[in-house]
Amino acid sequence: MASPTLITPTPKPAPPIRSRITATFTPTTTTTPATSTVSTTTTTRRHLLSLSTGTLLLSAITRPAWAASDEDYVKDTEEVIGKVKNTINLDKTDPKVADAVAELRETSNAWVAKYRKEKALLGRASFRDMYSALNAVSGHYISFGPTAPIPAKRKQRILEEVETAEKALLRGR
């Protein structure tokens, strides 16, 4: 049988709480032939300066990009919609197909890079449909080359998504 002293804990005094940053004041005397000066070194100043400098640098580096305005989003999305429609509807024998596809890829990559990070836009129907259409177009041209025609079913689906995105954009969604 255990003794009662083992069952009941004995209170131990808590150690005093001490700050990690301690101010140290160490006067040092520098003697030169002509003058005598006293300089003080304070670690708290150094800590404060290093912490504030680090904080300022990190805040400057990790500052989020300013959210794009709604007008910019609408304008850029309408531009991408126009390029998607024009590129998809080009005839496969047209000599400008490769250039149009390259331009569409640059525009769509810029659009995606600009708006994918915007959390306010991620829930919009226009963003979702436009992103899906751009993904399908880019995937096709990456897989089959810039001069390969888009199959009829895929083309129809892409155009439906673009139309849906355009209607949602006009409604402010």
Side-chain angles (χ1 to χ4, degrees), residues 70 73-74 77 120-130 164-173:
D70 197 45
Y73 171 73
V74 171
T77 306
L121 298 176
L122 294 179
R124 284 188 170 192
S126 62
F127 177 81
R128 181 184 61 241
D129 291 336
M130 196 65 222
T164 308
E166 194 171 24
K167 286 178 186 175
L169 196 63
L170 291 174
R171 293 179 188 152
R173 295 182 184 171

Side-chain angles (χ1 to χ4, degrees), residues 27-64:
T28 58
T29 306
T30 309
T31 307
T32 58
T35 61
S36 171
T37 62
V38 176
S39 67
T40 60
T41 307
T42 310
T43 58
T44 55
R45 285 185 187 169
R46 288 184 184 166
H47 286 292
L48 180 64
L49 282 173
S50 65
L51 288 173
S52 63
T53 304
T55 304
L56 286 174
L57 287 175
L58 284 175
S59 67
I61 292 171
T62 59
R63 181 176 298 151

Side-chain angles (χ1 to χ4, degrees), residues 91-168:
D91 190 31
K92 66 180 182 179
T93 59
D94 193 348
K96 298 178 184 179
V97 171
D99 293 334
V101 169
E103 186 179 343
L104 176 63
R105 283 192 64 199
E106 288 177 14
T107 306
S108 65
N109 286 343
W111 185 88
V112 168
K114 185 175 182 179
Y115 296 113
R116 179 175 40 194
K117 298 174 187 173
E118 299 288 335
K119 294 187 182 204
L121 298 176
L122 294 179
R124 284 188 170 192
S126 62
F127 177 81
R128 181 184 61 241
D129 291 336
M130 196 65 222
Y131 190 87
S132 177
L134 289 176
N135 194 24
V137 170
S138 296
H140 172 79
Y141 286 127
I142 287 171
S143 297
F144 301 108
T147 57
I150 296 180
K153 279 179 92 173
R154 185 176 296 157
K155 184 177 180 179
Q156 179 185 0
R157 185 179 67 95
I158 291 170
L159 288 174
E160 284 175 5
E161 286 178 344
V162 168
E163 292 296 325
T164 308
E166 194 171 24
K167 286 178 186 175

